[in-house]
């Protein structure tokens, strides 16, 4: 399984089926998942960094992760037929 999809499955465990279904048919969704995983990885690195810009970068990556989370949730919501909601 794609590393990005795995990261999104961990973030949204209640939506694993929808994540798997959408990732199986959408390259765009898989790309968002990869971006999400990359941002999480970068945040982890900055969290332990001693670089003077650490706090600034941590804030930027947290914001990016929040934005990607919203984008992922929107894509998942849009992928579910209205009658199934």
């Amino acid at each position: 399984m794609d590393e990005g999809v795995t990261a999104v499955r961990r973030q949204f465990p209640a939506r694993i089926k929808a994540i798997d279904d959408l990732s199986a048919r959408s390259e765009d969704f898989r790309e968002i998942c990869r971006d999400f995983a990359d941002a999480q990885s970068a945040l982890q690195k900055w969290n332990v960094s001693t670089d003077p810009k650490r706090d600034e970068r941590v804030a930027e990556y947290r914001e990016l992760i929040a934005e990607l989370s919203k984008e992922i949730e929107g894509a998942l919501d849009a992928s579910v037929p209205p009658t199934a909601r």
Side-chain angles (χ1 to χ4, degrees), residues 15 22 25 72-82 85:
R15 302 193 77 178
L22 186 54
R25 65 179 193 271
I72 289 165
E73 287 182 297
L76 291 170
D77 289 345
S79 74
V80 177
R85 290 183 193 164

Side-chain angles (χ1 to χ4, degrees), residues 31-76:
E31 183 64 34
I32 295 167
C33 292
R34 283 189 289 272
D35 291 345
F36 181 82
D38 290 346
Q40 283 188 322
S41 177
L43 176 60
Q44 289 174 354
K45 289 176 186 171
W46 279 106
N47 273 329
V48 297
S49 174
T50 58
D51 188 289
K53 295 197 179 258
R54 175 194 175 275
D55 292 342
E56 183 180 337
R57 296 295 179 256
V58 165
E60 289 172 358
Y61 279 105
R62 284 186 178 152
E63 184 176 331
L64 177 58
I65 289 167
E67 290 171 6
L68 288 167
S69 292
K70 288 178 188 175
E71 190 172 351
I72 289 165
E73 287 182 297
L76 291 170

